[in-house]
Amino acid sequence: MRLLFVSVSAFALSACGLNGTDRADDETAASSAADDNLADPMRSRDPATGEAFADVYPDPEQRPIMQLQVVLDRFGFAPGVVDGSMGFSTTNAIKGLQESLSLPVTGELDQQTRQALTRWDNIPATRVVTIPAEWSRLTYPKIPEGAEGQAEMERLGYESLDEKLAERFHTTVDVLRQLNPGGKPAGAPGAAPVTPAPTPSASASGAEAAPLFTPGQQIRVPNIGGDAIAAGGIEAEGWRETLASLGVGTTRIDASRITVDESDKMLRVFDQGGKLVATFTVSSGSSHDPLPIGEWGITGVARNPPFSYQPDLFWDVPDHAEDLQLPPGPNGPVGVVWIDLTKEHYGIHGTPEPQTIGRAQSHGCVRLTNWDAARLAGMVSTGTKVTFQK
């Protein structure tokens, strides 16, 4: 394996590819002074058991798969991109839930699994939020394709408000466009009819579609929860802002052990008692750089790290290219977090293309969606054992 190194804090990090690298954002998200929750004003507000959810406009669609995804996402069995489709990551999430409950592991929403989920039937698939007015102060510079241009930027942030929203709600811009036909929440007065498929994000000529969303606008989003950030729970302001921008809360589960299975592309998290408490679909390894099977440990976690780009250590990058220091940010090669392993130059990190998780290959490392990588970073420590297995 030819390697790429990152120098952060007290330990060296390596990236595992330029394609499919991480994204995150620590741009300031507005917080609420009304309570101790430092998540942004679009945070979830789940009804109590047995109570009905009151939304600004009722959703005209049932969206049963998206409802399943937002429930699984809340409780640690990550479905990847929340898009209302029963894809590979959602099937894995169902398997994780079934395994944790000692149910038959089918990956299907069978009767026993439905019964286990009935207590959360009042959590809807979507909710209507208002994009914070404070977001009008944010900028979204376009990012050059080449590393030389990227190295000259202060940070590799989101390139549009639409992209920032999609990451915040664990989905894609296309899904947000589907939920907001004509720019209005589905079900709102004057909203266009809901189309059966997402609106393409690019025109036939290949040009990007014009941004659909603006600060102060009401929009319908996947009803992502588990996003409460406790006051005083995170000392580093930049990381707190990153968690808010990813819709990730500070509720912590201490991971005693994690496993990554090459066969089913699943990362499993076990607590101190050996109980399975979370699962994530991952991308890991390739024919050039296979997943390093074995027992490993964690040497540290870097949050919002920069990236030291060394082309001579990458098999698919020309060796004559210049060494560069790339800034942190959503489009940075190691994104929001790098979990450094005792297997030298290997780690666990996120990706700027969450829809590719479980399908695209990596340079030997383990990739998750940005929001799942951020969650995992809050679970692990240098005492967590790591197993990579076939």
Side-chain angles (χ1 to χ4, degrees):
M1 176 179 177
R2 302 174 73 189
L3 307 163
L4 203 60
F5 294 89
V6 180
S7 215
V8 181
S9 247
F11 53 90
L13 311 180
S14 68
C16 301
L18 297 181
N19 297 320
T21 47
D22 316 3
R23 293 189 179 199
D25 184 44
D26 65 358
E27 294 164 333
T28 302
S31 63
S32 171
D35 53 34
D36 289 337
N37 184 355
L38 298 183
D40 66 32
M42 299 182 292
R43 65 188 182 274
S44 63
R45 294 175 174 82
D46 289 348
T49 302
E51 292 184 356
F53 180 83
D55 206 355
V56 179
Y57 309 112
D59 192 338
E61 301 287 327
Q62 291 296 315
R63 310 186 202 276
I65 302 304
M66 185 173 288
Q67 195 274 341
L68 169 66
Q69 289 173 329
V70 300
V71 170
L72 291 169
D73 188 82
R74 272 169 172 71
F75 298 107
F77 301 97
V81 171
V82 176
D83 58 4
S85 299
M86 185 63 80
F88 180 76
S89 294
T90 300
T91 298
N92 268 356
I94 295 172
K95 289 180 179 179
L97 175 70
Q98 291 169 333
E99 184 178 341
S100 74
L101 297 176
S102 299
L103 298 175
V105 180
T106 64
E108 298 178 358
L109 193 56
D110 51 38
Q111 185 58 39
Q112 285 180 281
T113 306
R114 289 179 187 275
Q115 184 64 34
L117 293 169
T118 53
R119 62 178 294 192
W120 296 296
D121 282 349
N122 63 338
I123 293 178
T126 67
R127 67 177 185 266
V128 174
V129 301
T130 300
I131 302 171
E134 291 86 351
W135 283 22
S136 63
R137 298 197 296 266
L138 303 178
T139 58
Y140 306 95
K142 292 299 178 184
I143 296 174
E145 290 188 8
E148 293 83 359
Q150 293 176 14
E152 296 177 0
M153 301 186 73
E154 291 186 5
R155 73 176 275 105
L156 301 177
Y158 293 122
E159 294 187 281
S160 70
L161 183 146
D162 291 10
E163 181 189 18
K164 179 176 172 66
L165 277 171
E167 190 102 319
R168 168 63 178 83
F169 292 102
H170 305 182
T171 191
T172 66
V173 173
D174 284 344
V175 170
L176 291 180
R177 288 175 177 269
Q178 181 191 15
L179 294 176
N180 298 275
K184 291 187 176 182
V194 177
T195 55
T199 303
S201 58
S203 68
S205 65
E208 289 187 11
L212 188 64
F213 308 113
T214 58
Q217 179 181 355
Q218 283 186 324
I219 64 167
R220 186 172 297 284
V221 297
N223 188 24
I224 294 304
D227 52 4
I229 298 176
I234 302 293
E235 292 183 5
E237 182 178 357
W239 183 242
R240 186 171 66 243
E241 292 166 353
T242 296
L243 292 179
S245 74
L246 294 170
V248 174
T250 52
T251 300
R252 182 181 175 89
I253 298 172
D254 291 325
S256 174
R257 178 171 64 96
I258 65 175
T259 64
V260 176
D261 283 85
E262 192 175 52
S263 59
D264 58 12
K265 301 179 181 178
M266 283 182 70
L267 186 155
R268 292 171 170 85
V269 181
F270 299 88
D271 67 12
Q272 302 295 326
K275 179 177 174 56
L276 178 66
V277 292
T279 60
F280 307 99
T281 295
V282 302
S283 291
S284 60
S286 68
S287 57
H288 285 282
D289 300 306
L291 183 72
I293 304 302
E295 302 287 334
W296 314 108
I298 293 174
T299 64
V301 178
R303 295 168 172 85
N304 293 325
F307 184 77
S308 190
Y309 174 57
Q310 296 179 277
D312 62 316
L313 303 174
F314 242 155
W315 68 263
D316 55 354
V317 177
D319 290 354
H320 58 76
E322 181 184 1
D323 288 5
L324 297 165
Q325 181 81 0
L326 305 186
N331 286 319
V334 292
V336 291
V337 64
W338 173 275
I339 299 172
D340 195 59
L341 301 179
T342 53
K343 172 65 174 175
E344 191 175 11
H345 311 313
Y346 283 85
I348 302 172
H349 60 96
T351 179
E353 301 294 341
Q355 68 275 14
T356 68
I357 291 297
R359 297 194 297 272
Q361 296 181 327
S362 76
H363 280 69
C365 296
V366 175
R367 290 190 288 117
L368 304 89
T369 65
N370 276 337
W371 50 88
D372 288 340
R375 283 172 170 165
L376 184 62
M379 299 178 187
V380 301
S381 68
T382 54
T384 304
K385 297 178 180 179
V386 179
T387 302
F388 289 170
Q389 55 200 30
K390 292 185 179 295

